[in-house]
Amino acid sequence: MALTEVARVFLKLGVTAFGGPAAHVAMMEEEVVRRRAWLSREEFVDFVGATNLIPGPNSTELAIHIGFVRAGWPGLLVAGACFILPAAIIVGILAAAYVRFGALPEATRLLYGVKPVVIAVVLQALWRLGRTAVKSLRLAAIGVASVIAVAFGISELIVLAIAGAVAAIAATPKAGDEGGRAPVMVGGLVSKLTAPVTGVSVAVGGAAVAGLWPLFAVFLKIGAVLFGSGYVLLAFLRTDLVERLHWISERQLLDAVAVGQITPGPVFTTATFVGYLVAGAPGAAVATLGIFLPAFLFVALSGPLIPRIRRSPTAAALLDGVNVASLALMGVVTWVLLRSAIIDAPTTIIACLSALLLMRYKVNSAWLVLAGGISGLLLG
């Protein structure tokens, strides 16, 4: 029963979760915290922070964490697969149309109505999660400092690391207490997570055989070492696929990234599009498997450690700092999205009406996304 419920929830999210990782986190919070109470808000925030500390697609890793908590190891696999597959199938269909017609299907009008809804969904989640994560004035100050640091162009990873370190140092555990073991626990987590990355690098270095293996190896490497936003993904893909291997052109790469942005589900399904361009349907399947496989491995390694970290005062303080910084990063992304989504009177009305329906009448965000898409087709 729990496994079926996990599959149903993440299949729905895989079809309706437009707007990138920030929107995905917001929609998951609504489904698994507010509507179904699978997790407390504090547990959910802990998992959001944890996904920012490991490579790979954050929202997919959050889905995998939730599946594991709800239905164990089968839930881990089912949640991730159900969140990824709808988007991969949609992207594969678009890739086939692209190969046949040489251009992307028109999606601007659809997104015109969807984007303002996404903004309302994310702002509501930020408000709810922020009230849970910001437990003190110290954490509030860390959150504000994180926003300022990102605005000045400092790397997200550096911001997360500094926020966690500052919060942990400020906790100042007394000698002999539980917090003294926190560095050992955190260090153990880091070593467990970096071991697979090292192995992947060696494997990719030896990938000089014909067939689908080189394609799989390239995307496995990217999935295992990539931190950050879709823009970082673009840089990795350009270096490997355009400049080094010459598998696709600059224009094809930009079109692939655009498809990943305009379709629901993980942005990393850009890999599905590229794989189809390089080797047809088998290439799409192999590239998708390669880029998402590390996410399952990293969550399997780190997930069981999160409750233990929360029990240690110093490690818990570090996690609190990372959580606040993660929400700060989410807030910066939301501001960027807001400026591109709310551009005139109709989009302003859609955003305000969506916020009202979400906060006052608790309407499911999936229905609002659908209504926003229809509005966009009519008005865009």
Side-chain angles (χ1 to χ4, degrees), residues 116-211:
V117 177
V118 167
I119 295 300
V121 172
V122 175
L123 288 175
Q124 182 203 34
L126 274 174
W127 172 251
R128 289 203 299 249
L129 296 176
R131 288 191 301 173
T132 300
V134 183
K135 304 172 183 177
S136 65
L137 288 176
R138 179 193 303 147
L139 288 173
I142 290 174
V144 172
S146 299
V147 170
I148 295 171
V150 173
F152 276 95
I154 297 177
S155 165
E156 291 96 334
L157 255 185
I158 294 175
V159 171
L160 289 167
I162 293 175
V166 169
I169 291 170
T172 57
K174 295 179 176 61
D177 70 5
E178 184 75 13
R181 295 203 299 269
V184 176
M185 296 169 61
V186 176
L189 172 60
V190 171
S191 64
K192 286 185 178 182
L193 295 184
T194 53
V197 176
T198 305
V200 167
S201 300
V202 172
V204 172
V209 296

Side-chain angles (χ1 to χ4, degrees), residues 215-280:
L215 182 65
F216 173 78
V218 165
F219 282 102
L220 185 69
K221 180 193 73 173
I222 292 172
V225 302
L226 191 149
F227 284 91
S229 67
Y231 298 109
V232 181
L233 175 63
L234 174 60
F236 270 71
L237 293 176
R238 186 176 185 278
T239 299
D240 278 335
L241 304 178
V242 179
E243 296 181 343
R244 183 170 66 87
L245 298 168
H246 308 291
W247 285 350
I248 60 175
S249 67
E250 292 272 8
R251 179 192 167 187
Q252 288 174 323
L253 174 60
L254 292 174
D255 287 344
V257 173
V259 167
Q261 297 282 346
I262 66 176
T263 49
V267 175
F268 274 39
T269 49
T270 296
T272 308
F273 193 93
V274 173
Y276 192 98
L277 296 184
V278 174

